[in-house]
Amino acid sequence: DALAGRPLRPASSPFRVWAQEAVAEAARRESEADLWREMLSDPPPQWGRRAPDPVRDVLGAMRHHTVSAPAPGTDVTEVLLAALVRAFGHGLLVDVERHGRVELGGTDLTRTVGWFTAVHPLRLDTGSVADVRDRLRALPGDGIGYGLLRHLRPRTWPAGLATARIGFNYLGKLTEVPALGGDPAMPVAHALEITAAIVGGELTATWSWLPEVLDDAEVRTLATAWTGHLAEPDPLDVEVSPAELAEWAEEFGEVH
């Protein structure tokens, strides 16, 4: 704006102010701890030779494999996660990463400089798009309370909860394939991380894994199976969740 000779817009909230609001927001969301306790009380299916070790497992040690497929038309996150469950052939516990730029406590982040991200776990039992959609919609505040409670209210956070070995991040529609970066010495939280985006109308996804934990051939086979499931007819065309049936029955009468 300054270079164009236009008046500067009002400054938005500094990151420091947002961080202060995050502490207050965590206190307001303490009642959500029961939701996360229920989701994470049972361990996920064992997969890989061991759990990631933050000391020995770092970003620079990960291997990468990129696959592509036709882009889903709608509900992209839900379609990708449902296909992941079908590729594995059993239920999964996945950490879902979101943008995290949530304006807490009346803060304004439109011009705030910084990288905001939020991660929350999601337990998936079926490869149904409708089921994935229902589970995502059931999370209060898009799941932001998980990180707030875990990191800002440690005294009230339940101990011994399960952790996901798979991380998933859908970046949205981009103009170019995203480059993977970061400090090579940074600890890795997941044995497998999937980073997906739609570029030029095509879905591109990079599967990154720890070779000391997972076999290369196994990961590549899963990635191929995943893209194959994405090419199947969209389950949204044929699947209706029990929650949707109940809503329709309430609004329109019994659904047969």
Side-chain angles (χ1 to χ4, degrees):
D1 289 341
L3 292 176
R6 293 189 295 266
L8 293 177
R9 290 173 289 175
S12 56
S13 304
F15 186 83
R16 173 180 54 82
V17 173
W18 183 90
Q20 293 170 346
E21 290 296 335
V23 175
E25 184 70 16
R28 290 191 289 266
R29 291 182 177 270
E30 278 195 359
S31 62
E32 296 177 12
D34 289 339
L35 180 152
W36 303 113
R37 181 186 294 109
E38 181 179 356
M39 182 186 298
L40 303 173
S41 58
D42 296 326
Q46 293 297 319
W47 184 55
R49 287 182 280 273
R50 57 174 175 79
D53 183 341
V55 175
R56 61 192 291 190
D57 296 323
V58 294
L59 191 63
M62 298 193 88
R63 293 180 180 169
H64 311 283
H65 175 58
T66 300
V67 296
S68 60
T74 58
D75 293 314
V76 177
T77 294
E78 291 85 342
V79 171
L80 301 186
L81 287 172
L84 190 64
V85 177
R86 296 199 296 274
F88 273 82
H90 56 70
L92 298 174
L93 180 63
V94 181
D95 274 345
V96 179
E97 184 172 349
R98 299 179 185 245
H99 63 79
R101 191 171 279 265
V102 180
E103 296 180 335
L104 304 175
T107 53
D108 174 16
L109 302 179
T110 54
R111 302 183 66 203
T112 303
V113 177
W115 181 265
F116 292 78
T117 189
V119 177
H120 68 78
L122 187 68
R123 188 176 290 275
L124 302 171
D125 296 324
T126 72
S128 159
V129 174
D131 181 59
V132 175
R133 186 172 64 244
D134 282 347
R135 289 170 185 259
L136 285 171
R137 289 179 177 177
L139 297 178
D142 288 336
I144 194 172
Y146 171 79
L148 293 174
L149 291 171
R150 181 182 179 187
H151 299 292
L152 299 180
R153 306 292 288 181
R155 293 183 179 179
T156 59
W157 184 249
L161 297 183
T163 57
R165 295 191 183 183
I166 302 173
F168 173 84
N169 187 7
Y170 170 58
L171 300 174
K173 295 182 179 180
L174 305 177
T175 57
E176 59 184 9
V177 177
L180 298 178
D183 183 352
M186 184 172 68
V188 173
H190 308 103
L192 171 67
E193 295 189 345
I194 303 169
T195 304
I198 292 178
V199 181
E202 183 178 60
L203 176 75
T204 297
T206 298
W207 289 52
S208 304
W209 68 97
L210 293 167
E212 290 190 8
V213 179
L214 304 174
D215 292 325
D216 294 7
E218 180 183 13
V219 175
R220 292 173 183 271
T221 298
L222 284 168
T224 299
W226 181 67
T227 56
H229 287 300
L230 290 174
E232 296 171 351
D234 188 347
L236 281 172
D237 292 337
V238 296
E239 295 189 28
V240 179
S241 71
E244 288 174 315
L245 285 175
E247 291 178 3
W248 293 349
E250 183 178 349
E251 185 172 355
F252 303 110
E254 191 67 28
V255 178
H256 299 284

